[in-house]
PDB file of all heavy atoms in Angstrom:
ATOM      1  N   ILE A 379      -0.780   4.138  12.694  1.00 98.00           N
ATOM      2  CA  ILE A 379      -1.574   2.979  12.247  1.00 98.00           C
ATOM      3  C   ILE A 379      -2.136   3.284  10.872  1.00 98.00           C
ATOM      4  O   ILE A 379      -2.209   4.448  10.458  1.00 98.00           O
ATOM      5  CB  ILE A 379      -2.676   2.640  13.282  1.00 98.00           C
ATOM      6  CG1 ILE A 379      -3.225   1.223  13.051  1.00 98.00           C
ATOM      7  CG2 ILE A 379      -3.803   3.665  13.260  1.00 98.00           C
ATOM      8  CD1 ILE A 379      -4.018   0.665  14.228  1.00 98.00           C
ATOM      9  N   GLY A 380      -2.541   2.237  10.144  1.00 98.00           N
ATOM     10  CA  GLY A 380      -3.069   2.436   8.780  1.00 98.00           C
ATOM     11  C   GLY A 380      -2.005   3.082   7.917  1.00 98.00           C
ATOM     12  O   GLY A 380      -0.840   2.666   7.925  1.00 98.00           O
ATOM     13  N   GLY A 381      -2.383   4.129   7.221  1.00 98.00           N
ATOM     14  CA  GLY A 381      -1.441   4.787   6.337  1.00 98.00           C
ATOM     15  C   GLY A 381      -0.268   5.418   7.054  1.00 98.00           C
ATOM     16  O   GLY A 381       0.763   5.693   6.446  1.00 98.00           O
ATOM     17  N   SER A 382      -0.408   5.639   8.333  1.00 98.00           N
ATOM     18  CA  SER A 382       0.703   6.223   9.111  1.00 98.00           C
ATOM     19  C   SER A 382       1.636   5.152   9.657  1.00 98.00           C
ATOM     20  O   SER A 382       2.542   5.457  10.450  1.00 98.00           O
ATOM     21  CB  SER A 382       0.118   7.066  10.252  1.00 98.00           C
ATOM     22  OG  SER A 382      -0.706   8.069   9.720  1.00 98.00           O
ATOM     23  N   SER A 432       0.446  10.679  12.828  1.00 97.00           N
ATOM     24  CA  SER A 432      -1.005  10.579  12.700  1.00 97.00           C
ATOM     25  C   SER A 432      -1.503  11.785  11.929  1.00 97.00           C
ATOM     26  O   SER A 432      -1.299  12.929  12.374  1.00 97.00           O
ATOM     27  CB  SER A 432      -1.665  10.514  14.088  1.00 97.00           C
ATOM     28  OG  SER A 432      -3.061  10.588  13.954  1.00 97.00           O
ATOM     29  N   LYS A 433      -2.162  11.530  10.825  1.00 95.00           N
ATOM     30  CA  LYS A 433      -2.683  12.645  10.030  1.00 95.00           C
ATOM     31  C   LYS A 433      -3.605  13.512  10.873  1.00 95.00           C
ATOM     32  O   LYS A 433      -3.470  14.721  10.924  1.00 95.00           O
ATOM     33  CB  LYS A 433      -3.416  12.090   8.802  1.00 95.00           C
ATOM     34  CG  LYS A 433      -4.042  13.150   7.946  1.00 95.00           C
ATOM     35  CD  LYS A 433      -4.696  12.551   6.710  1.00 95.00           C
ATOM     36  CE  LYS A 433      -5.502  13.653   6.002  1.00 95.00           C
ATOM     37  NZ  LYS A 433      -6.183  13.164   4.811  1.00 95.00           N
ATOM     38  N   THR A 434      -4.525  12.879  11.566  1.00 94.00           N
ATOM     39  CA  THR A 434      -5.540  13.626  12.318  1.00 94.00           C
ATOM     40  C   THR A 434      -5.104  13.949  13.747  1.00 94.00           C
ATOM     41  O   THR A 434      -5.636  14.834  14.388  1.00 94.00           O
ATOM     42  CB  THR A 434      -6.822  12.788  12.413  1.00 94.00           C
ATOM     43  OG1 THR A 434      -6.466  11.507  12.975  1.00 94.00           O
ATOM     44  CG2 THR A 434      -7.464  12.586  11.052  1.00 94.00           C
ATOM     45  N   PHE A 435      -4.173  13.162  14.267  1.00 96.00           N
ATOM     46  CA  PHE A 435      -3.753  13.217  15.678  1.00 96.00           C
ATOM     47  C   PHE A 435      -4.950  13.032  16.615  1.00 96.00           C
ATOM     48  O   PHE A 435      -5.002  13.600  17.715  1.00 96.00           O
ATOM     49  CB  PHE A 435      -3.005  14.516  16.005  1.00 96.00           C
ATOM     50  CG  PHE A 435      -1.705  14.237  16.718  1.00 96.00           C
ATOM     51  CD1 PHE A 435      -0.610  13.739  16.054  1.00 96.00           C
ATOM     52  CD2 PHE A 435      -1.593  14.440  18.091  1.00 96.00           C
ATOM     53  CE1 PHE A 435       0.577  13.446  16.703  1.00 96.00           C
ATOM     54  CE2 PHE A 435      -0.397  14.148  18.758  1.00 96.00           C
ATOM     55  CZ  PHE A 435       0.681  13.657  18.052  1.00 96.00           C
ATOM     56  N   THR A 437      -6.383   9.621  16.399  1.00 96.00           N
ATOM     57  CA  THR A 437      -6.609   8.181  16.279  1.00 96.00           C
ATOM     58  C   THR A 437      -6.336   7.485  17.613  1.00 96.00           C
ATOM     59  O   THR A 437      -5.250   7.616  18.192  1.00 96.00           O
ATOM     60  CB  THR A 437      -5.726   7.602  15.151  1.00 96.00           C
ATOM     61  OG1 THR A 437      -6.031   8.336  13.962  1.00 96.00           O
ATOM     62  CG2 THR A 437      -5.967   6.129  14.918  1.00 96.00           C
ATOM     63  N   THR A 440      -3.136   5.300  18.062  1.00 98.00           N
ATOM     64  CA  THR A 440      -1.854   6.019  18.024  1.00 98.00           C
ATOM     65  C   THR A 440      -1.671   6.870  19.274  1.00 98.00           C
ATOM     66  O   THR A 440      -0.583   6.888  19.870  1.00 98.00           O
ATOM     67  CB  THR A 440      -1.783   6.875  16.743  1.00 98.00           C
ATOM     68  OG1 THR A 440      -1.902   5.962  15.634  1.00 98.00           O
ATOM     69  CG2 THR A 440      -0.485   7.645  16.646  1.00 98.00           C
ATOM     70  N   GLY A 505      -4.501   9.220   3.955  1.00 98.00           N
ATOM     71  CA  GLY A 505      -3.619   8.422   4.809  1.00 98.00           C
ATOM     72  C   GLY A 505      -2.899   7.322   4.038  1.00 98.00           C
ATOM     73  O   GLY A 505      -1.682   7.132   4.172  1.00 98.00           O
ATOM     74  N   ARG A 506      -3.635   6.604   3.186  1.00 98.00           N
ATOM     75  CA  ARG A 506      -3.016   5.483   2.463  1.00 98.00           C
ATOM     76  C   ARG A 506      -2.173   5.951   1.286  1.00 98.00           C
ATOM     77  O   ARG A 506      -1.602   5.133   0.565  1.00 98.00           O
ATOM     78  CB  ARG A 506      -4.105   4.498   2.029  1.00 98.00           C
ATOM     79  CG  ARG A 506      -5.251   5.122   1.259  1.00 98.00           C
ATOM     80  CD  ARG A 506      -6.440   4.183   1.179  1.00 98.00           C
ATOM     81  NE  ARG A 506      -7.600   4.791   0.545  1.00 98.00           N
ATOM     82  CZ  ARG A 506      -8.505   5.533   1.163  1.00 98.00           C
ATOM     83  NH1 ARG A 506      -8.407   5.779   2.444  1.00 98.00           N
ATOM     84  NH2 ARG A 506      -9.562   6.021   0.511  1.00 98.00           N
ATOM     85  N   GLN A 587      -4.436  -1.947   2.267  1.00 98.00           N
ATOM     86  CA  GLN A 587      -5.082  -0.674   2.641  1.00 98.00           C
ATOM     87  C   GLN A 587      -5.268   0.202   1.396  1.00 98.00           C
ATOM     88  O   GLN A 587      -6.341   0.762   1.188  1.00 98.00           O
ATOM     89  CB  GLN A 587      -4.266   0.091   3.690  1.00 98.00           C
ATOM     90  CG  GLN A 587      -5.059   1.321   4.174  1.00 98.00           C
ATOM     91  CD  GLN A 587      -4.238   2.406   4.851  1.00 98.00           C
ATOM     92  OE1 GLN A 587      -3.018   2.425   4.745  1.00 98.00           O
ATOM     93  NE2 GLN A 587      -4.902   3.298   5.529  1.00 98.00           N
ATOM     94  N   GLU A 591      -9.202  -0.003   1.053  1.00 98.00           N
ATOM     95  CA  GLU A 591      -9.817   1.161   1.680  1.00 98.00           C
ATOM     96  C   GLU A 591     -10.232   2.146   0.580  1.00 98.00           C
ATOM     97  O   GLU A 591     -11.179   2.912   0.748  1.00 98.00           O
ATOM     98  CB  GLU A 591      -8.828   1.829   2.660  1.00 98.00           C
ATOM     99  CG  GLU A 591      -9.506   2.713   3.693  1.00 98.00           C
ATOM    100  CD  GLU A 591      -8.600   3.109   4.841  1.00 98.00           C
ATOM    101  OE1 GLU A 591      -7.737   3.977   4.637  1.00 98.00           O
ATOM    102  OE2 GLU A 591      -8.767   2.571   5.955  1.00 98.00           O
ATOM    103  N   GLN A 739     -13.131   7.085   3.260  1.00 98.00           N
ATOM    104  CA  GLN A 739     -13.093   5.781   3.950  1.00 98.00           C
ATOM    105  C   GLN A 739     -14.129   5.780   5.079  1.00 98.00           C
ATOM    106  O   GLN A 739     -13.816   5.481   6.222  1.00 98.00           O
ATOM    107  CB  GLN A 739     -11.683   5.432   4.474  1.00 98.00           C
ATOM    108  CG  GLN A 739     -11.042   6.438   5.452  1.00 98.00           C
ATOM    109  CD  GLN A 739     -10.513   7.658   4.765  1.00 98.00           C
ATOM    110  OE1 GLN A 739      -9.908   7.567   3.705  1.00 98.00           O
ATOM    111  NE2 GLN A 739     -10.766   8.825   5.346  1.00 98.00           N
ATOM    112  N   VAL A 742     -14.838   2.898   7.801  1.00 96.00           N
ATOM    113  CA  VAL A 742     -14.089   2.553   9.017  1.00 96.00           C
ATOM    114  C   VAL A 742     -14.656   3.290  10.234  1.00 96.00           C
ATOM    115  O   VAL A 742     -14.237   3.044  11.360  1.00 96.00           O
ATOM    116  CB  VAL A 742     -12.576   2.856   8.880  1.00 96.00           C
ATOM    117  CG1 VAL A 742     -11.984   2.080   7.715  1.00 96.00           C
ATOM    118  CG2 VAL A 742     -12.323   4.337   8.698  1.00 96.00           C
ATOM    119  N   LYS A 746     -15.196   2.385  14.807  1.00 94.00           N
ATOM    120  CA  LYS A 746     -14.430   3.235  15.731  1.00 94.00           C
ATOM    121  C   LYS A 746     -15.368   3.845  16.773  1.00 94.00           C
ATOM    122  O   LYS A 746     -15.059   3.870  17.972  1.00 94.00           O
ATOM    123  CB  LYS A 746     -13.810   4.420  14.960  1.00 94.00           C
ATOM    124  CG  LYS A 746     -12.619   4.115  14.115  1.00 94.00           C
ATOM    125  CD  LYS A 746     -12.057   5.447  13.608  1.00 94.00           C
ATOM    126  CE  LYS A 746     -11.106   5.274  12.459  1.00 94.00           C
ATOM    127  NZ  LYS A 746     -10.693   6.532  11.846  1.00 94.00           N
TER     128      LYS A 746
HETATM  129  O1  F6P B  13      -8.549   3.470   9.267  1.00 93.50           O
HETATM  130  C1  F6P B  13      -8.938   4.739   8.939  1.00 93.50           C
HETATM  131  C2  F6P B  13      -7.795   5.692   8.867  1.00 93.50           C
HETATM  132  O2  F6P B  13      -8.345   6.969   8.814  1.00 93.50           O
HETATM  133  C3  F6P B  13      -6.868   5.456   7.665  1.00 93.50           C
HETATM  134  O3  F6P B  13      -7.376   5.955   6.489  1.00 93.50           O
HETATM  135  C4  F6P B  13      -5.641   6.152   8.142  1.00 93.50           C
HETATM  136  O4  F6P B  13      -4.535   5.813   7.372  1.00 93.50           O
HETATM  137  C5  F6P B  13      -5.581   5.622   9.564  1.00 93.50           C
HETATM  138  O5  F6P B  13      -6.928   5.607   9.988  1.00 93.50           O
HETATM  139  C6  F6P B  13      -4.740   6.431  10.508  1.00 93.50           C
HETATM  140  O6  F6P B  13      -5.184   7.745  10.618  1.00 93.50           O
HETATM  141  P1  F6P B  13      -4.283   8.868  11.244  1.00 93.50           P
HETATM  142  O7  F6P B  13      -3.074   9.019  10.403  1.00 93.50           O
HETATM  143  O8  F6P B  13      -5.143  10.104  11.225  1.00 93.50           O
HETATM  144  O9  F6P B  13      -3.917   8.465  12.645  1.00 93.50           O
END
Side-chain angles (χ1 to χ4, degrees):
I379 197 164
S382 301
S432 173
K433 178 177 171 181
T434 55
F435 230 75
T437 304
T440 301
R506 53 195 175 274
Q587 187 199 16
E591 201 166 75
Q739 58 284 318
V742 301
K746 285 188 196 173

